[in-house]
Amino acid sequence: MKTKEKKSLNYYMRALHRDVGFLVVGITLIFCISGILLIFRDTDLLKKERVIVRTLAPDMASADIGKALHIRDFKVLKQEGNVVYFENGTYDKINGKTSFTSKTLPAFLSKLNTIHKTSSRNFIHWFTLLYGVALLFLAISSFWMYKAKTKMFKRGIVFASVGFVIAAIMVFISF
C-alpha cells in the first residue's frame, strides 16, 4: 500500500498560480484593451460628435451653467441679448434651453473605460478590487516557480527589481 506523499508549499503555490493565472486571463485582456483606449481619451481618434439639448433653470450665472453641464474650463465667449454663447454651444437665459456639441466615445468603448475609472460607490468596484488582489497574488506566487538557489530564480529577482524601479520612475515622473 502506498502512503500519500506530503506536498510542498512550492507544489501548492505553483498550482494556485496556474489556476488563478488562467482565471484572470479574460479579465486581463479586457483591462488591457480599456487601458489602451484610456490613453486616447483626450484625442478625437475614437470619438464621435453629437448634439446635446438640455433645459436648465432660466437666468443662470455663467459659472453655474458650466457646473450644470459638467463642462471643464467653461468659458463664455459672448452674450447677445438673452443668449449666452460658449464653446460649442448656446444657453437661452429666458427659457433655459441649452444646446451644445460634445465628443464622446461610442457606448461600448465608454463602458470599457468605466472599468478603469470605477468609484468605490459602484458595485463593479469589488470586482476590480478582487482582480487587483489576484494580480498581486500572481506577482508574489511567481517567486515559487523556481527553487531559491537556481539561476532562473535569481534572474527573476533581477527582472522584478528592474520592473519595480521602472514603476517607481514612472510614478515620480508623473508628478
Side-chain angles (χ1 to χ4, degrees), residues 7 9 15 22 36 40-41 51 57 68 79 83 86 91 95 109 117 128-129 138 143 149-150 153 156-157:
K7 298 192 168 111
L9 178 63
F22 283 132
I36 290 168
F40 299 104
R41 70 181 173 265
V51 177
Q79 184 171 340
V83 179
F86 56 93
Y91 166 73
N95 58 18
L109 298 179
K117 301 185 304 183
T128 58
L129 178 66
L138 287 173
F143 291 105
K149 295 185 180 177
T150 63
F153 181 82
I157 295 291

Side-chain angles (χ1 to χ4, degrees), residues 32 60 133 144 155 163:
C32 288
M60 289 179 75
V133 170
W144 273 270
R155 182 178 177 185

Side-chain angles (χ1 to χ4, degrees), residues 26 85 127:
Y85 293 89
F127 290 107

Side-chain angles (χ1 to χ4, degrees), residues 38-155:
L38 203 57
I39 293 169
F40 299 104
R41 70 181 173 265
D42 294 332
T43 66
D44 294 337
L45 184 66
L46 302 171
K47 293 182 178 181
K48 62 181 180 180
E49 200 168 276
R50 65 185 179 122
V51 177
I52 299 171
V53 178
R54 290 197 184 145
T55 302
L56 303 177
D59 202 29
M60 289 179 75
S62 298
D64 294 335
I65 298 169
K67 287 178 186 174
L69 298 175
H70 304 287
I71 298 175
R72 287 187 202 154
D73 303 325
F74 180 83
K75 291 178 188 164
V76 173
L77 300 176
K78 65 181 178 177
Q79 184 171 340
E80 291 179 355
N82 291 321
V83 179
V84 176
Y85 293 89
F86 56 93
E87 189 174 349
N88 299 324
T90 60
Y91 166 73
D92 188 335
K93 283 188 158 194
I94 293 175
N95 58 18
K97 186 173 181 179
T98 307
S99 174
F100 62 99
T101 57
S102 175
K103 292 183 180 179
T104 58
L105 289 171
F108 177 71
L109 298 179
S110 181
K111 287 281 189 190
L112 281 177
N113 278 347
T114 58
I115 292 172
H116 267 84
K117 301 185 304 183
T118 185
S119 71
S120 60
R121 287 179 248 140
N122 192 333
F123 182 70
I124 291 291
H125 165 74
W126 295 106
F127 290 107
T128 58
L129 178 66
L130 288 173
Y131 176 64
V133 170
L135 288 179
L136 177 64
F137 170 77
L138 287 173
I140 293 169
S141 67
S142 66
F143 291 105
W144 273 270
M145 297 295 107
Y146 300 99
K147 295 190 189 256
K149 295 185 180 177
T150 63
K151 185 177 179 182
M152 288 303 289
F153 181 82
K154 292 175 185 172
R155 182 178 177 185

